[in-house]
Amino acid sequence: AEMTSESPWAFVLTATGSIWAAGVTLLLLARGRSSPHLRSATGCALTIWLYSLSMVGDSLFSCRLGNLSQVTQIFDYLSAVFCFASWVWMAVLVMTRISALEASMGQPLGLQEVRWVIVVTAVTAALCVIFVLYSWSLVFVPLPLIYMLASAYGVTSVLYLIFTGLVIRAFCIPLRLLKEMHTAGYISKETWAAAVSLGQLQIGGLLASTTTTVLSGGSIIFGSSLQFAKLDESGRDMFTFVDFPLWLDIIANSTCVLFLTGAVHMPNAVLGNALARQRNRAAMLGSSGSVLDRQWHEKVSELAERGFTLESLLSFYKRLGTDYMLHYKSDVHRTSDVVRQAIIPLSRPSGVAYAVTMMNGACSLPDAMVTHNWGNLFRDLVAGICADALGLSEYALVSELLDRDVVALESMLANSGKIQKTYWVCAFCIAQHSCICHSISARDVDPVHGMEPPTCDCGWPKCFNDTPEVDALGRSVHCELNKFDDMMGHIARIDDQIEQLIVVDSKFDLFTRAWCVAEVAEAFRIGIPQKMKIKCGQVLHAFEERLRLLKVQEMEASRPEDVAEILAKIPDKDALNAQLQTLIFDENTGLLAQWRILDSTEQLRHFGLLARFQWLRGQRYQIPFDKICCHGYTF
Ligand SMILES: [Zn+2]
Ligand SMILES: [Zn+2]
């Protein structure tokens, strides 16, 4: 005990640092793991904790056994290794965030340079660690080693500051663009405030972490050079100055891991979307003021204002099979069947879009535009929309509830506060009597009784892609079928919060339909946030292969002229194919990733709803528990 170099102070300091790091790790373990990024952050926090624990062990044993005992040296090595590992991990986490931002913005933010700087920094930092460990094994540190330590530390610090600068630049690029958007009045005050606080958090946190890391690195070097002071009674107090920065570094880094990785994917994706919208806005605004253009835009805004509430959709659904389309069977009838045999007959007297009738004329701009394929079961389309309102990512359970207990579902939706959310679905929002009501094809044969539905004899004038009047590009001005991309752009301009809801059928056929893919690609291009609902996650892997082979050239549509027109709008088809793959599969921003990544609050809500579903099912239908679990929810 004569050899004690560290005061009890040092022990208390490292112990509090360790408790803090333990708290952060436990909190992340309890909260996180829902996304790869949060799992990685948890690992990083754990490493910081282990680093602090080995420091505690180190100061404990150096008090009891002296600095040069073997046990103390083992802890020396452990703390060096964990310190280095946690530092590298922190950098990797920062780079993951930049790469997510880069992916969602679709433009480089200097990730490549950041990567190089961090690799070089890691090499010089490793040199530092080796020198430090060597000096710890010595009773007296020679002057040349002190010089080498100091210079390795100097180079590492400068490199690390460059890294920090590059990262700050990466976060500032989107912030600057957003500021321009804000000044031009394109984004709301709230969106801008959210972006600013996100940027402040990221940059401030990074600066705090860098400062304390550089300080603590310095103090380790300083302390190692002071190794000789351990033999001197007066040198002992010096170690308080060494331990304090180390303590600060542990606190700062673990706190940064906690706050900076919180739900980092989602804000980044939102920012990226806003920026993409900014980039494409200029293109959308460029229209001349001719009479035909004006008429075209009037039609676009007329179409856009046909959103209907979820409540009205449910009341339509409840009467299906009892008040109209009496033979409706939810597990065989597709959206196209319901259009032919319920929506078209019901809207025949007025000739207008059925949404207008459903809403008693009080249609509005939608909160979400729904992309779906007409071959999907109509029940599953409705279930996908309800799942969106309930915040669920799969809709199999909702489909079941639609079959068994619409009233229960309705009360859940009413409780969720989303029953007044408005949607835009082509089946309801396009006036079918202005286009397809009179033409029946073999695909429209009813799957239950095998007969073609009767053609409509309403006699309303029909208007297709090339029906006069046409604009300079030969596009029909009054046609309701050729304006979906303009309409999306129009709504996105008016409403910052508009989102696209993609209801994928159980066989993933949606991704082979030209219209659907065109809508998905267009929403992506103009930066509308996209949400995807699939029926059941368990079957996803079975269709993944098929999705990976998607080619826009092989898409289908019921009207060949649509395919031609959609393909004509795509100058570089291979690029779009590649983009589609990114859109679906990208690890951070892809539709499937979104589906897999849920933040913790969403997860809790999810669990709550599932519990409620299961309770309802068990209560009312006495379905055994293992059957209820069949949809394989993975969290
Ligand atoms: Zn549609
Ligand atoms: Zn008709």
Side-chain angles (χ1 to χ4, degrees):
E2 249 67 62
M3 294 287 285
T4 54
S5 60
E6 318 218 11
S7 59
W9 236 124
F11 177 72
V12 172
L13 263 186
T14 43
T16 54
S18 178
I19 290 169
W20 186 271
V24 167
T25 312
L26 292 177
L27 210 71
L28 272 170
L29 274 173
R31 278 189 59 136
R33 286 179 304 166
S34 56
S35 72
H37 189 63
L38 284 179
R39 273 196 296 277
S40 172
T42 314
C44 180
L46 189 68
T47 319
I48 297 176
W49 183 25
L50 289 173
Y51 163 49
S52 68
L53 272 183
S54 42
M55 296 236 310
V56 171
D58 193 50
S59 73
L60 190 67
F61 284 103
S62 68
C63 279
R64 306 287 311 166
L65 306 168
N67 280 302
L68 297 179
S69 87
Q70 261 182 352
V71 183
T72 314
Q73 280 190 358
I74 289 174
F75 278 104
D76 279 340
Y77 283 120
L78 280 178
S79 60
V81 167
F82 285 129
C83 175
F84 183 71
S86 65
W87 173 78
V88 172
W89 208 325
M90 289 281 291
V92 169
L93 282 175
V94 171
M95 288 192 291
T96 317
R97 290 200 289 274
I98 300 177
S99 113
L101 193 57
E102 218 177 65
S104 60
M105 271 184 69
Q107 70 179 71
L109 296 173
L111 185 63
Q112 208 54 36
E113 294 95 290
V114 172
R115 224 175 248 148
W116 273 111
V117 172
I118 212 67
V119 166
V120 181
T121 320
V123 172
T124 59
L127 270 179
C128 278
V129 171
I130 291 167
F131 289 153
V132 164
L133 285 178
Y134 177 57
S135 77
W136 285 352
S137 69
L138 300 172
V139 175
F140 182 77
V141 185
L143 206 56
L145 185 58
I146 294 181
Y147 286 150
M148 278 156 76
L149 268 172
S151 40
Y153 168 67
V155 173
T156 311
S157 305
V158 170
L159 283 169
Y160 197 51
L161 290 175
I162 294 175
F163 163 78
T164 311
L166 287 174
V167 172
I168 290 175
R169 193 189 65 170
F171 281 116
C172 283
I173 294 171
L175 276 177
R176 211 182 45 233
L177 290 171
L178 281 171
K179 188 174 183 193
E180 283 167 19
M181 290 173 75
H182 175 61
T183 334
Y186 288 145
I187 55 170
S188 64
K189 221 189 264 161
E190 290 77 8
T191 312
W192 169 237
V196 168
S197 62
L198 185 72
Q200 278 169 347
L201 182 70
Q202 293 289 338
I203 292 171
L206 185 74
L207 280 176
S209 152
T210 307
T211 315
T212 57
T213 301
V214 169
L215 269 179
S216 80
S219 61
I220 291 175
I221 305 291
F222 178 56
S224 309
S225 314
L226 277 181
Q227 197 76 350
F228 60 90
K230 288 173 184 171
L231 301 170
D232 186 340
E233 191 61 31
S234 65
R236 210 197 266 180
D237 292 340
M238 298 293 270
F239 278 88
T240 314
F241 298 107
V242 175
D243 282 309
F244 186 71
L246 294 186
W247 171 81
L248 205 63
D249 189 36
I250 289 175
I251 304 268
N253 280 344
S254 49
T255 311
C256 282
V257 168
L258 182 65
F259 282 103
L260 302 192
T261 52
V264 97
H265 285 276
M266 277 151 269
N268 279 353
V270 170
L271 288 186
N273 274 320
L275 290 166
R277 203 176 302 166
Q278 149 90 336
R279 278 206 304 280
N280 295 300
R281 195 178 299 273
M284 293 194 297
L285 286 174
S287 67
S288 66
S290 77
V291 178
L292 279 176
D293 278 339
R294 251 203 332 275
Q295 284 179 334
W296 175 279
H297 285 293
E298 269 161 28
K299 190 74 193 175
V300 166
S301 72
E302 180 201 329
L303 277 171
E305 304 218 4
R306 288 187 191 162
F308 55 86
T309 60
L310 180 52
E311 190 178 29
S312 69
L313 177 65
L314 276 178
S315 82
F316 170 81
Y317 189 81
K318 279 193 293 187
R319 290 161 62 207
L320 197 59
T322 53
D323 291 4
Y324 33 77
M325 200 174 166
L326 301 178
H327 67 301
Y328 173 72
K329 284 191 68 160
S330 64
D331 53 346
V332 278
H333 278 127
R334 304 155 298 175
T335 303
S336 56
D337 300 315
V338 173
V339 170
R340 290 286 171 197
Q341 302 183 59
I343 295 173
I344 287 180
L346 282 169
S347 56
R348 188 182 177 281
S350 64
V352 299
Y354 190 58
V356 178
T357 315
M358 273 161 66
M359 293 297 293
N360 292 318
C363 286
S364 61
L365 272 183
D367 298 317
M369 312 238 324
V370 183
T371 290
H372 62 106
N373 52 326
W374 281 37
N376 193 11
L377 293 179
F378 182 69
R379 176 199 63 199
D380 285 357
L381 167 65
V382 177
I385 295 173
C386 294
D388 171 64
L390 289 170
L392 295 165
S393 49
E394 298 177 337
Y395 61 78
L397 285 168
V398 186
S399 290
E400 261 194 60
L401 220 49
L402 275 174
D403 279 353
R404 293 173 188 270
D405 200 339
V406 191
V407 178
L409 179 66
E410 214 173 6
S411 84
M412 289 176 77
L413 284 164
N415 283 331
S416 76
K418 293 282 175 65
I419 201 154
Q420 294 302 327
K421 185 168 175 178
T422 50
Y423 294 89
W424 198 99
V425 180
C426 60
F428 293 98
C429 300
I430 281 183
Q432 308 296 345
H433 297 280
S434 77
C435 46
I436 60 158
C437 73
H438 64 303
S439 56
I440 298 277
S441 75
R443 279 185 320 274
D444 299 317
V445 166
D446 186 278
V448 170
H449 54 59
M451 289 186 294
E452 277 187 6
T455 55
C456 176
D457 57 355
C458 62
W460 293 100
K462 304 290 180 269
C463 201
F464 293 99
N465 301 32
D466 50 4
T467 309
E469 298 156 302
V470 294
D471 68 0
L473 300 170
R475 306 177 302 173
S476 167
V477 169
H478 300 289
C479 174
E480 300 199 347
L481 304 173
N482 59 356
K483 297 185 173 60
F484 79 93
D485 41 359
D486 275 12
M487 193 177 79
M488 274 189 183
H490 173 78
I491 301 178
R493 259 199 309 273
I494 302 176
D495 180 5
D496 223 20
Q497 309 293 316
I498 178 76
E499 53 192 27
Q500 183 187 37
L501 171 65
I502 305 163
V503 180
V504 184
D505 56 300
S506 58
K507 296 197 175 67
F508 289 80
D509 281 340
L510 176 133
F511 290 104
T512 65
R513 305 302 295 172
W515 273 119
C516 301
V517 172
E519 285 173 22
V520 170
E522 178 66 10
F524 178 72
R525 190 183 75 79
I526 56 180
I528 295 179
Q530 297 174 299
K531 286 193 199 163
M532 187 173 73
K533 305 292 162 195
I534 62 179
K535 186 157 188 180
C536 176
Q538 222 171 24
V539 301
L540 185 63
H541 65 276
F543 294 97
E544 206 161 314
E545 193 57 28
R546 188 176 168 200
L547 292 180
R548 291 208 185 264
L549 298 173
L550 280 183
K551 292 246 177 317
V552 74
Q553 293 92 328
E554 293 163 14
M555 306 280 160
E556 300 152 18
S558 41
R559 299 187 318 148
E561 64 264 39
D562 287 344
V563 183
E565 191 172 326
I566 290 165
L567 286 179
K569 280 185 190 166
I570 304 166
D572 186 349
K573 293 172 183 67
D574 290 335
L576 182 70
N577 287 334
Q579 197 190 57
L580 268 178
Q581 293 298 313
T582 316
L583 178 63
I584 299 172
F585 289 107
D586 186 273
E587 254 179 67
N588 294 310
T589 55
L591 292 172
L592 292 183
Q594 276 179 22
W595 179 80
R596 287 186 182 121
I597 298 166
L598 295 170
D599 75 7
S600 46
T601 46
E602 226 176 318
Q603 224 176 41
L604 283 174
R605 205 174 56 223
H606 222 114
F607 276 127
L609 283 169
L610 285 182
R612 208 157 151 195
F613 267 123
Q614 296 188 352
W615 178 82
L616 269 174
R617 297 179 60 187
Q619 278 279 308
R620 299 191 185 208
Y621 325 112
Q622 274 81 43
I623 299 172
F625 193 78
D626 59 317
K627 263 196 139 177
I628 294 167
C629 293
C630 71
H631 293 296
Y633 278 77
T634 44
F635 290 99

